[in-house]
DNA sequence: CTGAAAGCGCTTACAG
DNA sequence: CTGAAAGCGCTTACAG
């Protein structure tokens, strides 16, 4: 059931008409007995204002509850301090956590934050243009194909920072960007499983952010490298999506193969689906099969068996990306780039030694 | 590891200086050989423009890639088509899903969407003022104390719609708002457990959105009503937070009490924590204890045992809230209010008949 | 140290 | 049907 209430208590006209419109710079000037340019100087902290004048203006500002009109400021100065986040998703854990980090950083810096979800139906150029002509800068979450495609189309003159998958070693993205070393993390997780005695490690992949085969997704690449280094031939990865359902489907197939004793998953949602499929197939975790996820979503610690996973500092990445953008928008303010925490393997119940 | 790349390939000056600034209404006018007012008429779809003139202007618009400057539009017209969402949280499932619905609806209507997280440290009035003076309207997520407090402080003249907990029967909020019937849903869930033969149902609560004791939280209230109607004395609710950790702590205590055979939780995260605590205490679900959650988060279907829960249409609520705001911002455009789906009890493995 | 102008890119009346 | 003015609330040079 949904119900709606309304402010007006009956009539269809607002009794308190007008609602005296917000005080402008001129109102303040008049109240303080100065010209409005002087008011402008005061609110912008210009040095050349007599102390007494400044006081008078500040008093008037308080008395009238003056707040500088952001729209006029943007139009007159040609500068807009704001961020718009372009992302294909807002609810998956990695995205939501990144967004949270971005919002925190933006809020701390006094930047309004906008969110614009990109869909496959979008005309990317139009989307970017409309997001950009708000005036401020863009932060693009390029974790997936859609986000990466959007990033590629951001015009060079638009201030922009990106969150991307780890680029191939030695290659630097052509735009300011931050990333975590997923490749190394996946390698570590895979090595851990091998060290536990598993003869092979299967991988349930998240969708790749690039179309080209050459540039393999870093998590897949790290897994593959670890296997190769151990002289193991990597089996074909499975996985057709981001969520638990996709993990479940991949897991059902893997569960049928008795040779499968260790599974690395591209994220915790996939891992949850895999756990479920193994459960349905009657294969115990970790006694029969070990499962490791990626991201350390909040619930991963509380499911049974609790999930061994790679903790990612999405929050820190979000903060870093904002800082990267801000340094483009506000060249005065070159804050040091906050360094996100390294990915960490968190050992829990879902992984263990291979049963002999 | 985090690395950053930069656009400039070496020099510290941009080689392509200037980046010819965006075409203005006057540029278009000149290209089309008309005055800029005529261009204004065309882009605003005014009727009084000769067909041929319109064509000429449209051609020029395309040729120059003209996009109307949103900032100037806002300043000149005094109207801003945008929404800012005020919320205390963006990652908890109910909030994230609501936000997703809001974003979708805003995007479909061509409204930019801003997000501003409210914290306990915030000066609410300042926060609201700065969110409001972007020009557009506000959507406040009032599911919790902080959100509800923010909503209370929104000045009457600021266009605003809210998402709230179900108000007490017969009372309507004094602002346009949408809500789901959580009370009824909690009643249904509790009755279900009673019908399964449980003599009592314990409740692990989410934090209340109001400070006053009188106005009980709707989920708690529905649970209480169902018990009373069945002649059962409601036990004291537990729960000290929103997340699985809080559920775990509440669950540990409940697990020790052998009389506890059925637990309703204020959300799925709490339920996950309760399941975990019961597992640690060696109490089987649902054989020894039934657990029901609230919200139907995406992973609830995939945990083991899968979680019986109340599915909420946060998405639909978000869309409805946006529509409610839009009808205030754009009085021409009175779209019908989309009706969110009713809360539904989804039966899964975590609930079952009381063992005899 | 402070004031008078011009302008940011658009819209809304006002003229013709 | 179309053009010339004035103004939205501010800032950035320019004068004094």
């Amino acid at each position: 059931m949904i119900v709606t209430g309304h402010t007006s208590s009956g009539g269809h006209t607002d009794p308190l008409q007008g609602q005296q419109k917000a005080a402008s710079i001129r109102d303040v000037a008049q109240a303080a007995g100065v010209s409005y340019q002087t008011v402008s100087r005061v609110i912008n902290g210009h040095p050349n204002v007599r102390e007494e004048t400044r006081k008078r203006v500040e008093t008037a500002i308080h008395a009238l509850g003056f707040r500088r009109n952001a729209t006029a400021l943007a139009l007159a100065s040609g500068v807009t301090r704001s961020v718009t986040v372009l992302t294909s998703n807002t609810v998956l854990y990695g995205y939501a956590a990144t967004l949270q980090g971005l919002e925190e950083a933006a809020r701390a810096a006094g930047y309004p934050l906008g969110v614009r979800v990109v869909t496959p139906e979008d005309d990317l150029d139009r989307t970017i243009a409309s997001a950009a002509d708000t005036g401020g800068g863009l932060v693009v979450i390029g974790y997936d194909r859609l986000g990466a495609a959007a990033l590629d189309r951001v015009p060079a003159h638009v201030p922009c920072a990106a969150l991307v998958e780890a680029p191939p070693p030695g290659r630097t993205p052509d735009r300011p960007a931050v990333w975590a070393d997923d490749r190394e993390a996946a390698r570590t997780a895979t090595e851990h499983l091998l060290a536990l005695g598993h003869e092979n490690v299967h991988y349930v992949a998240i969708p790749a952010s690039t179309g080209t085969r050459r540039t393999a997704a870093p998590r897949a690449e790290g897994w593959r490298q670890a296997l190769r280094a151990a002289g193991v031939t990597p089996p074909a990865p499975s996985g057709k999506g981001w969520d638990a359902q996709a993990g479940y489907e991949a897991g059902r197939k893997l569960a049928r193969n008795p040779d499968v004793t260790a599974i690395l998953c591209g994220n915790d949602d996939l891992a949850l689906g895999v756990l479920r499929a193994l459960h349905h197939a009657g294969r115990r975790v970790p006694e029969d099969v070990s499962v490791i996820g990626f991201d350390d979503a909040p619930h991963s610690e509380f499911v049974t068996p609790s999930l061994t996973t790679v903790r990612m500092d999405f929050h820190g990445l979000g903060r870093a990306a904002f800082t990267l953008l801000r340094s483009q928008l506000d060249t005065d303010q070159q804050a040091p780039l906050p360094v996100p925490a390294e990915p960490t393997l968190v050992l829990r119940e879902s992984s263990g030694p291979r049963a002999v």
Side-chain angles (χ1 to χ4, degrees), chain A:
Chain A
M1 177 174 138
I2 143 171
V3 201
T4 73
H6 291 280
T7 297
S8 55
S9 46
H12 41 267
T13 357
D14 193 353
L16 302 175
Q17 47 77 280
Q19 193 73 27
Q20 71 274 16
K21 49 187 300 193
S24 82
I25 209 182
R26 299 181 208 255
D27 299 323
V28 173
Q30 189 180 332
V34 297
S35 76
Y36 63 85
Q37 291 86 338
T38 300
V39 176
S40 175
R41 286 192 190 91
V42 171
I43 61 185
N44 288 297
H46 281 208
N48 291 353
V49 180
R50 206 176 6 140
E51 193 47 35
E52 192 224 309
T53 312
R54 175 186 309 282
K55 290 266 192 253
R56 209 132 42 84
V57 171
E58 280 166 351
T59 306
I61 285 176
H62 272 113
L64 301 183
F66 168 81
R67 315 197 85 244
R68 172 222 252 129
N69 180 311
T71 304
L73 169 60
L75 184 59
S77 69
V79 180
T80 314
R81 299 248 158 107
S82 70
V83 207
T84 300
V85 181
L86 243 43
T87 179
S88 68
N89 193 290
T90 60
V91 292
L92 287 171
Y93 174 68
Y95 295 81
T98 302
L99 210 50
Q100 184 180 215
L102 284 166
E103 195 280 337
E104 270 187 33
R107 175 155 39 84
Y111 281 56
L113 176 120
V115 176
R116 190 3 168 124
V117 169
V118 187
T119 72
E121 291 74 39
D122 275 329
D123 173 337
L124 252 31
D125 296 312
R126 292 191 67 81
T127 301
I128 290 166
S130 79
D133 68 23
T134 312
L138 255 39
V139 170
V140 183
I141 301 187
Y143 296 159
D144 54 88
R145 201 122 150 198
L146 203 47
L151 181 57
D152 279 345
R153 308 201 68 87
V154 175
H157 66 277
V158 174
C160 172
L163 294 123
V164 296
E165 286 195 314
R171 295 202 44 182
T172 325
D174 48 344
R175 281 214 159 261
V178 293
W179 61 85
D181 198 344
D182 294 39
R183 195 176 287 107
E184 168 65 16
R187 208 181 293 139
T188 304
T190 306
E191 285 165 356
H192 175 71
L193 289 167
L194 293 173
L196 286 169
H198 298 280
E199 294 185 345
N200 207 337
V201 177
H202 288 254
Y203 181 58
V204 178
I206 49 173
S209 75
T210 57
T212 62
R213 287 267 166 244
R214 282 173 302 185
T215 338
R219 293 181 184 187
E221 191 60 27
W223 157 76
R224 201 175 284 123
Q225 286 173 0
L227 290 185
R228 291 234 170 92
V232 179
T233 306
S238 48
K240 292 202 173 11
W242 297 87
D243 60 7
Q245 182 63 45
Y248 183 73
E249 283 156 21
R252 283 184 60 168
K253 292 181 191 157
L254 291 172
R256 286 193 210 109
N257 180 351
D259 292 341
V260 172
T261 68
I263 305 174
L264 176 66
C265 300
N267 72 31
D268 285 358
D269 286 326
L270 289 170
L272 232 53
V274 167
L275 287 180
R276 184 68 173 165
L278 291 169
H279 171 74
H280 278 170
R283 300 195 67 182
R284 296 164 305 166
V285 176
E287 292 83 354
D288 301 328
V289 184
S290 282
V291 176
I292 296 188
F294 233 105
D295 293 356
D296 195 22
H299 52 257
S300 297
E301 185 181 349
F302 289 92
V303 296
T304 300
S306 61
L307 191 62
T308 293
T309 185
V310 177
R311 179 173 298 156
M312 302 288 295
D313 186 12
F314 290 114
H315 218 261
L317 288 165
R319 302 183 70 90
F322 173 77
T323 306
L324 225 43
L325 177 67
R326 189 187 190 187
S327 66
Q328 295 171 63
L329 256 27
D330 186 350
T331 27
D332 300 341
Q333 162 69 40
Q334 296 294 352
L337 198 65
V339 179
E342 302 286 325
T344 327
L345 183 63
V346 182
L347 301 180
R348 298 209 186 97
E349 296 165 354
S350 67
S351 62
R354 191 194 165 200
V356 198

